[in-house]
Structures are given as structure tokens and as C-alpha cells.
Amino acid sequence: VPVNPLRPAILAVAGSERVKRTLTTSPATAAMVQRFVPGEARPDLIAAARTLLMSGRAVSVDYLGENTTDRAQADAAVAEYLALINDLAALPTTEVPAGAAPLEVSVKLSALGQALGADGPAIATENLRTVCTKAAEAGVWVTVDAEDHTTTAATLAVTGQVRPDFPWLGTVIQAYLYRSEDDCRDLADAGARVRLCKGAYREPETVAYQRRVDVDRAYLRCLRVLMRGAGRPLVASHDPVVLAAAADLATITGRRPGRLEYQMLYGIRTDEQLHLADRGDFVRVYLPYGHQWYGYLMRRLAERPANLAFFLRALAGR
Ligand code: FDA
């Protein structure tokens, strides 16, 4: 059984401007967009972050943008991240376990210029350093998102280069890639913070598992490696099987909340987020904002038929 039979079709329209326009012109679908993305502007985001922090959850804020094709756009993304870090650092936060930080930003190297020709990786690395330097001053952490498989090796190389100066720099591993168990081993040995997710892009079978059952098994293999390693596993999933496995492994390996994070997306399984936080676990919510929300939204719809049904009902005005 594939992950979701409609997933390839949805991901195929993920670049369509026409579909994006349709979504914003209907109030019903605009409300649906807001379920996953609290707003386009920073003040909307800051209001949502404040509410999450006051409920005892940590945040990782993503300024939406990817596939940047010119230098000015990459510079604008860096400027937005610097302003965002400033605004986040001014928010009141609740107490967190030793060794954890309640505030984090998530960045995509493609938004920082990774695809700008031969100099792209160097530009993105420099931009990442600028963001990390500001974040360090403000007491905010940074994690670099994982994008499609053509960027995996370059992204791991960049984070590996920058991490010695910013030990809290997080890296994302996508369990659906065949290479990921080995990558987890390397990162666990290096003591890195690793966000483990299943993977959200449309990938060929030459590089990635296609069947849900294989992706799920790969996730659990990677999770065992990370939980037994020296780093800090960031369990990014809404899957009850994954959450239960992480809790069992935490007991077996003696990991306390400061050395393990549960991470979920804004608007998804909010009750479970609050339940985990109430029982004393460290929960971080991935909070996206910005006008480039379309690709992000399409990946959310592709993940889950129920999200898609919700979307189609909203589109039909019911
Ligand atoms: P999956 O979608 O397989 O669902 C499994 C089960 O979870 C379902 O059967 C259901 O029980 C439950 N569930 C899921 N959604 C639900 C809902 N809406 N309501 C109720 N129950 C629900 N991807 C990527 O490629 N690069 C990245 O950098 C990131 N970053 C990232 C950060 C964070 C914090 C998260 C949580 C996720 C990502 N992802 C990501 C996305 C990730 O790869 C993946 O696509 C989604 O998290 C969906 O996979 P799940 O593990 O949640 O389970």
C-alpha cells in the first residue's frame, strides 16, 4: 500500500500558482490554510508562538520559502530570520529542562541560496552562519530542514561544517531514504541534535522506500540508533506507534525529557501535544509563517487522506 494513493498527484500540483490563487480567494479554504499556517506576517506568527509557549510547549519557527533563485531573495530571507530571532527572544517563556531551549528557528538551505549555481552551497553556508551567530546571541537554537534527496548530501555537509561552532545546530533525517540509517549512526556518534521525520517529498524508488510499512520500519530502526546514541533525538512524528516506541526506548535507555524532544506540526494532533507536555515530556511545535505557504500546505495534504477530505469539503463550500 503506498503512503497515500493521491500523494503523487497532490505533490505534482505543488508548484501550481493557479491552485494557490483558488485557495486564497475562497474564505473557507483560506480558513483551512490557517489551520496549518497561522499567518503570512511576523506579528501573526509571534501571537501564535506566544500562545504555544504559554501552554508549556516549545516552538521551532519556519519562515516559509524554498527554491530561491536569486541572491536578493536569499538576502531577504536572512534579514527576515534575523528580525524573527529578535522578536522571538522578546517573548516570555516557561521553564524548560536543563540542556533544552524553548525557542528555535527552522531554516531551509534552499531559501538561503543553496541552489544559486556553483557558489550556492558557499552562499547558503555563509548565510546559515549569519543566522546561527544571531541565534547564539539571542539564546535561540537553529535546525536545518531536510528537502528533496538531491540536496541531502550537500545539506549534511553544510551542517557538519557549521556544527562545531554551534553545537546545538540541528539536522533533519528523513527515514524514507535508504541512506538514513547510516547517516543516523554518524550523527549519533557525533552527539548531534537530530530531528527524525518520515519524509515529505516525492522521491524515486532508487533512493527511498515507497510503501508505508517500509517507511515505518525504517523510522523505528533510525529511532533506535538515535536513542542509543550520544546526541539528542528529536522525534518528529504524529504517529502513535512512533510515539509509543520513543517512550519505551526513553525508559530503556534512561533518557530524561531534557535529552529527548517530541516534535509535531502546528495544527496537527494538538490534543496529543498537550497530553505529552502535561505528562512532563518536552514538546516542540513546528510553526510556519510567510506568504510562501503553498508548497508546505500541499505536503501536509499529501500526507493524509483526512486532511485532503477536509480541504475538498472547504473548497466545495461545505
Ligand atoms: P504519518 O503521516 O505516517 O501518520 C501516521 C499516523 O499518525 C496516522 O495513521 C495517524 O494515526 C496519526 N496522524 C497523522 N496525522 C494526523 C492528524 N492530522 N490527525 C490525527 N492523527 C494523525 N519532512 C521533511 O521531508 N523535511 C523536514 O525537514 C521535515 N520537518 C518536520 C518537522 C516536524 C516537527 C514534523 C512533525 C514533521 C516534519 N516533516 C519534515 C514532515 C514529515 O516528514 C512527515 O511528512 C509528517 O510528519 C507526517 O508523518 P508522521 O510521522 O506524522 O506520520
Side-chain angles (χ1 to χ4, degrees):
V1 184
V3 173
N4 166 1
L6 291 173
R7 187 169 181 265
I10 300 165
L11 291 176
V13 297
S16 162
E17 265 306 309
R18 193 170 58 84
V19 178
K20 181 180 179 188
R21 269 199 311 278
T22 311
L23 290 178
T24 33
T25 45
S26 142
T29 48
M32 194 219 55
V33 173
Q34 261 199 354
R35 179 191 152 190
F36 296 105
V37 182
E40 295 199 346
R42 210 177 330 124
D44 304 329
L45 171 277
I46 291 295
R50 184 189 298 273
T51 305
L52 288 167
L53 290 165
M54 292 325 288
S55 74
R57 287 168 287 176
V59 294
S60 189
V61 181
D62 172 25
Y63 174 56
L64 292 163
E66 49 198 294
N67 305 325
T68 289
T69 49
D70 65 64
R71 186 69 199 251
Q73 226 182 325
D75 291 345
V78 173
E80 179 65 26
Y81 268 107
L82 300 187
L84 167 64
I85 289 167
N86 241 354
D87 288 0
L88 282 177
L91 285 172
T93 53
T94 51
E95 211 180 311
V96 293
L103 301 170
E104 184 188 74
V105 294
S106 283
V107 299
K108 286 188 174 50
L109 290 187
S110 75
L112 300 189
Q114 191 178 35
L116 297 179
D119 294 338
I123 293 170
T125 307
E126 206 40 53
N127 283 338
L128 178 63
R129 279 189 186 282
T130 304
V131 172
C132 286
T133 303
K134 172 77 185 175
E137 285 164 17
V140 173
W141 281 355
V142 179
T143 288
V144 176
D145 284 350
E147 301 182 68
D148 74 59
H149 81 277
T150 62
T151 62
T152 307
T155 298
L156 289 177
V158 170
T159 51
Q161 231 178 305
V162 176
R163 191 178 310 104
D165 295 325
F166 305 98
W168 36 253
L169 180 67
T171 302
V172 179
I173 293 293
Q174 297 153 315
Y176 62 17
L177 296 180
Y178 303 141
R179 58 174 291 160
S180 287
E181 209 177 324
D182 288 341
D183 290 333
C184 282
R185 228 164 255 127
D186 293 345
L187 289 160
D189 288 348
R193 289 174 73 233
V194 181
R195 180 198 295 159
L196 181 63
C197 65
K198 289 187 185 177
Y201 294 78
R202 184 166 52 138
E203 300 291 14
E205 61 185 345
T206 47
V207 300
Y209 296 107
Q210 307 291 311
R211 297 187 316 158
R212 175 189 279 271
V213 60
D214 293 329
V215 177
D216 291 353
R217 281 186 193 141
Y219 191 104
L220 295 176
R221 284 197 302 274
C222 291
L223 182 64
R224 276 182 221 115
V225 171
L226 295 177
M227 293 288 282
R228 293 192 173 121
R232 185 182 163 92
L234 317 174
V235 181
S237 178
H238 313 94
D239 189 339
V241 175
V242 165
L243 300 179
D248 286 350
L249 282 163
T251 308
I252 294 166
T253 57
R255 266 185 191 274
R256 287 184 306 282
R259 297 192 53 237
L260 163 71
E261 280 184 24
Y262 292 92
Q263 299 193 342
M264 297 192 204
L265 302 175
Y266 180 75
I268 301 189
R269 298 207 73 195
T270 304
D271 290 352
E272 183 63 15
Q273 295 172 16
L274 291 168
H275 166 69
L276 294 177
D278 285 348
R279 81 174 187 200
D281 283 313
F282 190 89
V283 178
R284 193 182 299 282
V285 179
Y286 187 97
L287 188 57
Y289 79 106
H291 59 276
Q292 283 197 51
W293 44 261
Y294 183 67
Y296 177 86
L297 180 74
M298 288 297 122
R299 289 195 289 277
R300 300 296 75 83
L301 296 182
E303 268 152 23
R304 195 167 150 81
N307 287 347
L308 182 66
F310 185 73
F311 161 75
L312 292 174
R313 271 200 307 275
L315 201 60
R318 283 189 284 128

